[in-house]
Amino acid sequence: MKFKTALFVTACSLATPVLAQEAPTTAQAEASEDREVLVTGSRIKQDPAKSALPLEIFTNEDFAREGINSPEQLVSLLSTNGNGADNLASNTDVVSGAQRGTNGLSAANLRGQGSAATLVLLNGRRVAAHGLQGSAVDVNQIPFAAIERVEVLKDGASAIYGTDAIGGVMNFITKTDFEGLALNGFTDITERGDSPIYRLSATAGYGDLKSDGFNVMAAVSKSWNGILRGEKRDFVNGNQPNRGLSIDTRGTPIATAFANGANALFAPSGSLLSGVPLLIPGTTITANGGINYLDLPGQAGCESFDGGMAYDDALWANASARYACAWDTGRAAILQQPLETLTYYARGTVALGNHRAFAEITGSDADSSKQFSSNQYAGNTSTLPLYYPLNALTAPTYNQVYNAMVAVFPSIAANYGRPIAYRWRCTSCGPREYETNTKTLRGAIGLEGPLFDGWDYRAGASYARSESTSVLGTGYHYRGVFSSSARANASGIPGAVSGGLDTRAPIAPGATAPGIVGLLNSGILNPFAVTQTPEALAALDAISAEGVTLYGGRYEVKQFDASISGSLFELPGGTVQIAAGIDYRRESYSFNGSAEAELARPEIFNVAFDNANALTPKHRDVKAAYAELLIPVFEPLEISVAGRVDDYSGFGSTFNPKVSARFTPVDWLMVRASYNTGFRVPTFNQIFNGQTLSPNPTTNTLVDPSTCPSGVVSTTNPACAAINPDTLSGGNPNVGPETSEQYSVGIVFRPAPRFSASVDFWSIAVDDTIGALTLRQLFDNYQFFGDRITRTGGVITLVDLTADNIGSRRTKGLEFALRGSVDALGGMFDLGMNGTWLIEKKERFLPTAPYSDIVGVFSYAGDLGLEWKHNAWVSFAKDDFAVTFSQIFRSGYDNNGLPSLANNQSATRPDYNERVDSYITYNLSVTQQIAQRFKLTAGIKNIFDTDPPFAITYDSNSGAGSSWEPRVADPRGRSFTIAAEVKF
């Protein structure tokens, strides 16, 4: 059986189908009879083989060929999809800002315009955005087992669908007349035997619409994505100093000692290293940046514990940390989130003469686990006093550490017996984990049919919701002391002060003070050892916050739409057709904080509670009217004109037109073009979120850009002194919509019935872009944002990163498609290619600021604009057998540098690569149809087991990132897939 390849026709389709098929899709089957059906991007029925719409169509055969098991995998295959943090690999690490609610989320990002600018539909109608994030749709909630085809419209469509359709539209279309029973199984297991992916599904249907007048069908699917940890892949390696990559953390599984002073509760006389000179031998440099005894002369070295490395004091310009160790945080992150998803779908359709009525319901229940590096406990003298005491339990360890340090720093002998102050990464506490459950539900009803000669109607209503709740998993514990005066005052405990004991927190067995602070100061938990005693582990469990609610959200969409379409009059080229309709929608969003985050409750250490952004239900009403004309001026020329008026509560009205045309002077050549405008309203979060003040980690890598153009921290030049400003993030009630203007021009050649080639140029201009600057972006453009920088005594102490309309974006590209087939060896060879060349992508953050070119340039946030992407394949089919070999290509880009691109010390290292290599993988699949009821497909993904190319993605400000780019590459490596289908 011949496989259907992904049908790509950018602004116009060919005069006949691009590829002949033995098993056409429903749309094509109906078109072969009626010649006119509805396709994504239009309200007028038309022949999909002649439509002036830029559609790429995928069917179940395509999914089997490429080993695609989920909507996320389909999205990642699209060459026109951008490279944002929109998948389950790129949002597993430490995140902040808008990504806080991406737990378990996968989204589409067509043409790199952002996940909020891509409209996702199910059977032509909207679905609810993810319950936590409230902006992008989680594509994995789609009932993939019930899907017949996916239509990807690569063009703006605000004139048809309204907001969000700037980058394009993905329309998931289900089976509508299924009969019988189909059972499917799929497995995808890596060569290493880890991170397995499984899916089981069943689809059943009864009744033939034509003969019985009705059809009912249902589908259910359960899928499992197994966990993949960073430590399981060698390419995840932050310890590559020769290449310019090393990790800036001194919180290590074997603690780093610091010269912290006295604390009235646990170290009234000070610590072992305090109050004495700590000159590094042979220098005038004081070792106040931390001392790890393993890094001292004669000791085992930082590499003696898993993930350990010597702290790169030269790269991070911190000579005082010469004897510190660092730890590879990227190895602790997970590369594939564990995800377990149940989806279900049911539909009933009744034929009422020439009319059809339907009702459908779909839903999902997904559990995900997001895990990243263990908590770092950076001791201080007040709100996190950490001191390892000398007592009968701790004496062996204490003396071992003391003896190693006194040999290099003899001055500490006078302090023997004082506790050791330290910074520690508690790997024994487990990775930090957020467990998220997301439930979705969507119901829809509709009626369609003829009105009178040449006129049809279509009406429907739907309700959709997505509800998510995240709770704490491993890695979080009660603090045990008050971190602020506000918390102390709210506690109701007489005499409570900042830094004092919070007696409401649980006390671990054997400890005398509450929380993790009490346990660590008891010495029961040993920060100078990787393994802990059973008593210490039991003590950790006693103060664990596992199961505490983190936050939750709920998004709802209620929609009603009605349209009519029909013929108006004749022109030389055919009949002028019109469609017109109305659309009403109410969107609601709420976000819940956690009672455990209230000041009056005992504090949990370092939890990203989000109570400042808690929202009571917010509503938005949208009323719209639209019209579309299809004008066949004369036989070679057809013009389509559409327009839509949307009235948004809180934003007023907007009108967006679209004009497209195709010109076919001869049957083998077609020229097409389109122009349209679009808009996107801010999300509820971007408007209504509270504003949160967050302390900046004391990384000492930032400088005042106005006084230190070099960007290099200096201990001798006051103008380049390290700064650690706080940041203000959150919503802005004054944020307005962003607008777009876009056009495309393309040519299609079809010199033979089984060969076609097309190339399309497209341009998207977006103004008043909605978003929030990162700290790096603001510092790189500080001269334009003086009002967002606060100085105290001349030093930057606060930076405003709240949401706003932050400038403009310009994107241009070329999209290519090739298709061809030839008979040979008793069967048919078929080949194809989809490619996208990103010609221009530039942005600016203010109308007065210059544009920055970001094509092929690394960025920490947003979309990574790769210059070239393509998917190519060749297949051979004979009778019931088919084999396909395919290539996926993603071009390289400019590498990052540390501590920053402005101060790229990585470039001084001998093996630093300025360009990240291209990422190229190959896949193979073989399908055998056995009789008529059984089909088996086996495949190999990433045949040559290609690792993601080395890239510096580590961010010292957040602690996220490592040595590869999850927005581009697949971390799993070579894997083997088997898909089986049985039909009854």
Side-chain angles (χ1 to χ4, degrees):
M1 173 179 182
K2 184 178 181 298
F3 281 79
K4 179 189 180 302
T5 56
L7 175 62
F8 179 106
V9 281
T10 44
C12 277
S13 295
L14 302 173
T16 56
V18 172
L19 291 173
Q21 295 181 55
E22 295 180 13
T25 65
T26 296
Q28 292 163 326
E30 292 176 0
S32 66
E33 300 172 6
D34 305 329
R35 301 305 301 168
E36 293 184 345
V37 295
L38 282 178
V39 292
T40 303
S42 176
R43 303 290 188 178
I44 296 176
K45 288 185 176 181
Q46 50 194 288
D47 184 347
K50 297 180 180 180
S51 168
L53 292 172
L55 288 175
E56 187 172 1
I57 302 174
F58 293 87
T59 67
N60 287 303
E61 285 79 8
D62 299 306
F63 306 151
R65 184 194 68 218
E66 295 294 341
I68 293 172
N69 177 56
S70 67
E72 181 195 41
Q73 292 177 340
L74 171 63
V75 168
S76 67
L77 181 70
L78 298 174
S79 66
T80 192
N81 197 65
N83 305 282
D86 307 313
N87 58 62
L88 291 174
S90 61
N91 58 38
T92 58
D93 212 331
V94 181
V95 296
S96 59
Q99 280 188 266
R100 122 202 120 194
T102 56
N103 304 346
L105 171 68
S106 299
N109 173 22
L110 295 181
R111 286 181 169 170
Q113 299 305 299
S115 58
T118 297
L119 181 62
V120 176
L121 305 175
L122 179 63
N123 291 331
R125 290 184 170 89
R126 291 177 181 253
V127 295
H130 191 258
L132 286 183
Q133 194 197 47
S135 60
V137 170
D138 177 15
V139 294
N140 284 333
Q141 70 172 270
I142 300 296
F144 210 54
I147 296 301
E148 178 185 76
R149 69 186 186 275
V150 181
E151 296 182 353
V152 181
L153 175 66
K154 293 180 285 189
D155 198 7
S158 288
I160 301 297
Y161 298 113
T163 186
D164 305 338
I166 292 177
V169 181
M170 286 194 74
N171 189 9
F172 293 84
I173 300 172
T174 63
K175 304 176 179 73
T176 58
D177 196 9
F178 182 84
E179 291 184 89
L181 174 65
L183 303 177
N184 295 81
F186 177 88
T187 181
D188 181 346
I189 299 179
T190 66
E191 185 178 76
R192 297 164 179 82
D194 54 20
S195 59
I197 298 173
Y198 305 111
R199 191 184 83 184
L200 296 173
S201 64
T203 306
Y206 178 74
D208 182 270
L209 277 173
K210 292 183 178 179
S211 60
D212 300 324
F214 73 93
N215 175 263
V216 291
M217 64 160 290
V220 63
S221 175
K222 186 66 178 286
S223 62
W224 299 263
N225 284 22
I227 191 170
L228 177 60
R229 298 188 182 277
E231 63 190 25
K232 298 297 184 180
R233 292 295 182 267
D234 291 339
F235 62 81
V236 181
N237 181 7
N239 184 19
Q240 302 188 59
N242 284 352
R243 306 180 81 170
L245 173 61
S246 193
I247 306 302
D248 181 26
T249 180
R250 284 157 283 164
T252 52
I254 302 296
T256 299
F258 281 81
N260 295 346
N263 173 267
L265 294 174
F266 302 108
S269 300
S271 69
L272 178 65
L273 302 185
S274 65
V276 295
L278 295 172
L279 291 178
I280 297 174
T283 75
T284 59
I285 300 170
T286 300
N288 55 15
I291 302 171
N292 194 299
Y293 85 95
L294 291 175
D295 200 35
L296 295 173
Q299 300 303 313
C302 299
E303 291 80 6
S304 61
F305 60 88
D306 185 46
M309 67 189 81
Y311 184 82
D312 196 333
D313 59 286
L315 182 68
W316 298 106
N318 190 358
S320 67
R322 182 170 301 179
Y323 284 131
C325 291
W327 185 62
D328 194 348
T329 52
R331 287 170 53 80
I334 56 176
L335 311 185
Q336 176 176 283
Q337 285 190 44
L339 177 67
E340 185 174 324
T341 305
L342 172 71
T343 61
Y344 55 89
Y345 176 83
R347 179 185 177 100
T349 307
V350 178
L352 306 172
N354 292 325
H355 304 263
R356 288 187 181 182
F358 78 89
E360 66 180 15
I361 187 168
T362 183
S364 65
D365 190 343
D367 291 297
S368 66
S369 172
K370 180 175 179 176
Q371 301 176 26
F372 43 98
S373 57
S374 305
N375 255 324
Q376 173 181 248
Y377 292 95
N380 57 40
T381 60
S382 55
T383 57
L384 194 64
L386 300 180
Y387 299 88
Y388 188 66
L390 174 58
N391 57 38
L393 176 63
T394 64
T397 298
Y398 182 99
N399 289 326
Q400 180 183 5
V401 174
Y402 169 79
N403 290 334
M405 290 195 292
V406 76
V408 180
F409 301 99
S411 60
I412 69 172
N415 290 342
Y416 178 77
R418 290 184 183 180
I420 304 172
Y422 59 89
R423 184 180 299 178
W424 183 47
R425 183 78 59 168
C426 184
T427 55
S428 298
C429 296
R432 286 174 284 175
E433 180 183 24
Y434 297 160
E435 296 177 337
T436 300
N437 174 261
T438 300
K439 291 182 174 67
T440 68
L441 179 67
R442 179 182 181 273
I445 56 174
L447 184 67
E448 58 184 52
L451 284 172
F452 42 83
D453 186 34
W455 284 80
D456 299 302
Y457 72 93
R458 188 170 183 261
S462 64
Y463 167 80
R465 72 168 182 256
S466 174
E467 190 166 13
S468 301
T469 301
S470 291
V471 300
L472 298 181
T474 61
Y476 290 98
H477 298 84
Y478 286 92
R479 189 182 194 116
V481 297
F482 294 109
S483 63
S484 67
S485 297
R487 283 192 171 275
N489 294 336
S491 70
I493 297 175
V497 296
S498 176
L501 297 180
D502 183 355
T503 54
R504 301 166 304 165
I507 298 177
T512 58
I516 189 71
V517 169
L519 176 59
L520 287 172
N521 281 280
S522 72
I524 296 171
L525 197 62
N526 186 354
F528 296 99
V530 173
T531 59
Q532 302 293 333
T533 65
E535 293 77 13
L537 296 177
L540 274 174
D541 288 341
I543 57 172
S544 171
E546 187 169 355
V548 167
T549 297
L550 182 63
Y551 39 57
R554 181 185 176 104
Y555 200 99
E556 291 183 307
V557 179
K558 301 172 184 176
Q559 183 177 9
F560 169 79
D561 60 87
S563 64
I564 58 172
S565 62
S567 304
L568 291 179
F569 53 85
E570 296 293 324
L571 285 179
T575 304
V576 175
Q577 298 181 70
I578 187 173
I582 58 172
D583 190 357
Y584 170 78
R585 189 169 75 252
R586 164 164 273 212
E587 300 173 346
S588 303
Y589 177 64
S590 60
F591 187 80
N592 307 316
S594 172
E596 293 297 327
E598 300 297 335
L599 291 178
R601 306 295 288 268
E603 183 179 357
I604 302 169
F605 179 75
N606 200 28
V607 175
F609 285 124
D610 214 359
N611 283 26
N613 294 322
L615 296 178
T616 56
K618 303 294 182 182
H619 307 287
R620 178 184 292 161
D621 293 316
V622 186
K623 303 170 186 176
Y626 56 86
E628 181 183 3
L629 275 173
L630 187 65
I631 309 170
V633 181
F634 53 92
E635 188 170 347
L637 178 64
E638 181 179 271
I639 297 174
S640 177
V641 180
R644 177 175 171 124
V645 176
D646 286 87
D647 182 75
Y648 268 79
S649 58
F651 294 97
S653 299
T654 178
F655 173 73
N656 291 279
K658 181 172 184 176
V659 180
S660 60
R662 66 177 178 90
F663 179 64
T664 313
V666 291
D667 60 3
W668 55 267
L669 176 66
M670 182 183 292
V671 180
R672 64 246 188 138
S674 71
Y675 169 85
N676 64 88
T677 65
F679 76 106
R680 182 173 75 86
V681 297
T683 67
F684 290 102
N685 282 325
Q686 290 168 329
I687 300 170
F688 298 110
N689 271 1
Q691 296 187 348
T692 303
L693 184 68
S694 303
N696 189 269
T698 55
T699 56
N700 296 311
T701 60
L702 297 175
V703 296
D704 188 333
S706 67
T707 61
C708 187
S710 69
V712 180
V713 173
S714 172
T715 57
T716 59
N717 180 2
C720 293
I723 61 172
N724 292 288
D726 295 337
T727 56
L728 187 67
S729 60
N732 181 350
N734 298 316
V735 176
E738 66 180 31
T739 59
S740 70
E741 185 176 27
Q742 51 202 102
Y743 63 90
S744 65
V745 180
I747 300 176
V748 176
F749 298 94
R750 189 181 173 84
R754 290 162 62 177
F755 178 82
S756 68
S758 68
V759 58
D760 291 87
F761 171 81
W762 54 270
S763 172
I764 303 175
V766 180
D767 291 308
D768 297 320
T769 52
I770 305 168
L773 294 169
T774 67
L775 185 60
R776 292 178 183 273
Q777 287 172 331
L778 192 145
F779 271 32
D780 288 343
N781 299 272
Y782 74 93
Q783 63 269 36
F784 304 108
F785 295 102
D787 60 334
R788 285 178 170 259
I789 296 175
T790 300
R791 287 179 166 84
T792 303
V795 177
I796 298 178
T797 54
L798 178 66
V799 179
D800 182 356
L801 302 178
T802 53
D804 209 341
N805 297 101
I806 56 173
S808 304
R809 181 176 64 249
R810 301 290 183 263
T811 316
K812 296 177 181 179
L814 284 170
E815 287 172 345
F816 300 84
L818 294 172
R819 299 289 186 276
S821 62
V822 61
D823 293 327
L825 302 178
M828 182 167 60
F829 282 93
D830 180 56
L831 59 88
M833 187 274 287
N834 292 327
T836 299
W837 177 16
L838 188 61
I839 298 173
E840 176 182 273
K841 187 169 187 178
K842 59 185 182 181
E843 63 183 10
R844 63 183 180 187
F845 299 117
L846 283 174
T848 56
Y851 279 104
S852 298
D853 184 7
I854 55 176
V855 174
V857 178
F858 174 83
S859 64
Y860 280 110
D863 186 76
L864 177 56
L866 300 185
E867 187 173 5
W868 176 256
K869 301 171 66 175
H870 78 246
N871 309 318
W873 66 90
V874 59
S875 64
F876 174 75
K878 181 179 180 181
D879 300 327
D880 294 328
F881 172 82
V883 58
T884 299
F885 180 74
S886 62
Q887 181 198 59
I888 299 175
F889 181 95
R890 304 294 184 256
S891 67
Y893 51 93
D894 291 346
N895 203 359
N896 185 29
L898 298 175
S900 66
L901 281 175
N903 174 24
N904 189 356
Q905 295 302 303
S906 297
T908 66
R909 300 302 171 89
D911 298 325
Y912 174 74
N913 54 305
E914 293 184 359
R915 292 278 299 177
V916 175
D917 293 337
S918 298
Y919 180 60
I920 310 170
T921 59
Y922 297 87
N923 304 321
L924 178 71
S925 69
V926 178
T927 298
Q928 179 66 55
Q929 184 80 37
I930 303 172
Q932 294 183 346
R933 298 182 181 273
F934 184 68
K935 182 168 68 174
L936 186 66
T937 300
I940 305 175
K941 299 171 73 172
N942 195 352
I943 295 173
F944 302 109
D945 198 25
T946 302
D947 284 339
F950 173 79
I952 299 176
T953 60
Y954 175 69
D955 183 359
S956 63
N957 285 314
S958 67
S962 183
S963 55
W964 71 292
E965 179 50 79
R967 290 175 292 180
V968 175
D970 184 346
R972 298 177 73 238
R974 183 188 295 127
S975 68
F976 303 94
T977 65
I978 296 178
E981 180 181 60
V982 181
K983 291 184 176 180
F984 300 95

